[in-house]
Amino acid sequence: MGGNHTWITEVTLLGFQVSPALELFLFGLFCLFYTLTLLGNGVILGLICLDSRLHTPMYFFLSHLAIVDMSYASNNVPKMLANLVKLKRTISFVPCIMQTFLYLAFAHIECLILVAMSYDRFVAICHPLHYTVIMNWRICTVLASTSWVFSFLLALVHLILILRLPFCGPHEINHFFCEILSVLKLLACADTRLNQVVIFAACVFILVGPVCLVLVSYSRILFAILRIQSGEGRRKAFSTCSSHLCVVGLFFGSAIVMYMAPKSHHPEEQQKILSLFYSLFNPMLNPLIYSLRNAEVKGALRRALCDTSGKWLVWGST
């Protein structure tokens, strides 16, 4: 940045402006949630890798979702936890911008992976005889890799649009991480209309578009499930689809409220809670939803536990 542009070295993350006692409580609570996020998604990822019965397109996309959730939480939560127990709550400018970039990239990836998962369920239930032909491994790999590449490119566009402007506002971010709307407030003297337009256009493409596709897919799926004669087949279809719908509703619902509802309806403290919901709570709940509502995942977990206990018994007897 040259000319009249201002280069800043660090910014202050105001975080949760609460009493010290409540900060310690939040530190313990969020530490627990973060640990559960890493443990739960790690278990899901491990089961999918180790159990050959889960080597299907649905669980291929679920493994990507687990990786994204762990990365998403790890990008935001550690700095938030550190600031809860530190007096100096600053973050260097470059790590702050990288946090914004990675946060956007992982959020975009999750949206697109959830759409790919809904398409997979649509093909599996509405076109079961052609499932292996349509959802072959080449198509799955292309869908997943395209989601990652496109998401990082879109996040890079946001980053370039931010860095072209002077950082002339207050060097404080009223948030617990460098969330993009809060970072834009550092550009107080600059015209950020282009940034706002691009953010809104990205929300339409990444949030509204996928939600519409998911709703269309599941409306077709619902009609197909109701036509299934077998009670066992209907139960299995409802089990896998309901778990996916729970994840879709939690993630897209909180993100749409955060980024597409009128900002006057959401004061800054409420925005922090919404951000917590999709950056910490959702990644923690996803593996719980899939393990509790999915018979195949529960079966894989039981087999893994039985194999482990059997190996321990053999080792102990020797």
Side-chain angles (χ1 to χ4, degrees), residues 256-267:
I256 287 175
V257 169
M258 176 71 182
Y259 288 99
M260 303 203 72
K263 294 297 175 288
S264 59
H265 293 174
H266 305 296

Side-chain angles (χ1 to χ4, degrees), residues 220-271:
R220 298 281 301 276
I221 287 171
L222 179 60
F223 288 121
I225 289 176
L226 294 176
R227 290 198 299 267
I228 296 176
Q229 300 297 323
S230 166
E232 177 63 21
R234 189 180 299 179
R235 185 199 61 78
K236 184 177 179 181
F238 266 121
S239 175
T240 55
C241 291
S242 60
S243 59
H244 183 226
L245 272 177
C246 287
V247 172
V248 167
L250 286 170
F251 182 81
F252 282 106
S254 55
I256 287 175
V257 169
M258 176 71 182
Y259 288 99
M260 303 203 72
K263 294 297 175 288
S264 59
H265 293 174
H266 305 296
E268 289 180 324
E269 295 304 312
Q270 190 173 340
Q271 289 182 30

Side-chain angles (χ1 to χ4, degrees), residues 13-228:
L13 293 171
L14 297 181
F16 301 98
Q17 300 171 48
V18 294
S19 66
L22 185 54
E23 283 183 338
L24 285 177
F25 172 76
L26 291 176
F27 175 81
L29 184 65
F30 294 156
C31 268
L32 176 62
F33 287 170
Y34 182 52
T35 303
L36 290 174
T37 298
L38 298 181
L39 182 62
N41 285 286
V43 167
I44 292 286
L45 186 61
L47 289 175
I48 293 170
C49 293
L50 297 175
D51 197 317
S52 59
R53 301 184 194 186
L54 300 183
H55 293 175
T56 63
M58 175 183 172
Y59 294 103
F60 170 74
F61 291 122
L62 182 57
S63 67
H64 281 266
L65 188 66
I67 293 171
V68 170
D69 281 340
M70 287 190 289
S71 303
Y72 197 35
S74 297
N75 181 55
N76 301 336
V77 177
K79 185 62 179 176
M80 176 187 70
L81 293 175
N83 285 345
L84 283 172
V85 293
K86 284 169 55 178
L87 293 177
K88 187 180 180 183
R89 301 175 177 183
T90 57
I91 181 171
S92 299
F93 179 73
V94 174
C96 179
I97 291 298
M98 283 304 300
Q99 192 179 58
T100 304
F101 170 71
L102 293 175
Y103 146 76
L104 289 170
F106 292 136
H108 296 157
I109 294 168
E110 180 145 359
C111 292
L112 298 178
I113 290 295
L114 288 173
V115 173
M117 291 176 71
S118 69
Y119 178 68
D120 170 73
R121 290 300 84 203
F122 165 73
V123 176
I125 293 173
C126 298
H127 304 283
L129 298 179
H130 302 98
Y131 178 71
T132 55
V133 176
I134 298 174
M135 295 303 296
N136 58 66
W137 284 112
R138 178 175 167 274
I139 294 296
C140 293
T141 304
V142 167
L143 286 174
S145 58
T146 301
S147 299
W148 283 82
V149 172
F150 176 80
S151 298
F152 274 94
L153 288 176
L154 184 56
L156 184 61
V157 170
H158 288 294
L159 188 68
I160 292 171
L161 289 177
I162 289 174
L163 292 178
R164 72 189 174 91
L165 297 171
F167 287 79
C168 51
H171 295 174
E172 291 183 342
I173 295 177
N174 190 11
H175 217 293
F176 58 86
F177 74 103
C178 294
E179 191 267 337
I180 185 169
L181 297 180
S182 299
V183 170
L184 287 181
K185 294 177 182 177
L186 298 175
L187 312 170
C189 66
D191 184 1
T192 60
R193 283 179 294 181
L194 178 60
N195 299 72
Q196 299 286 354
V197 169
V198 172
I199 290 172
F200 184 80
C203 286
V204 171
F205 183 78
I206 290 291
L207 292 177
V208 179
V211 164
C212 292
L213 291 173
V214 169
L215 290 177
V216 170
S217 296
Y218 274 95
S219 62
R220 298 281 301 276
I221 287 171
L222 179 60
F223 288 121
I225 289 176
L226 294 176
R227 290 198 299 267
I228 296 176

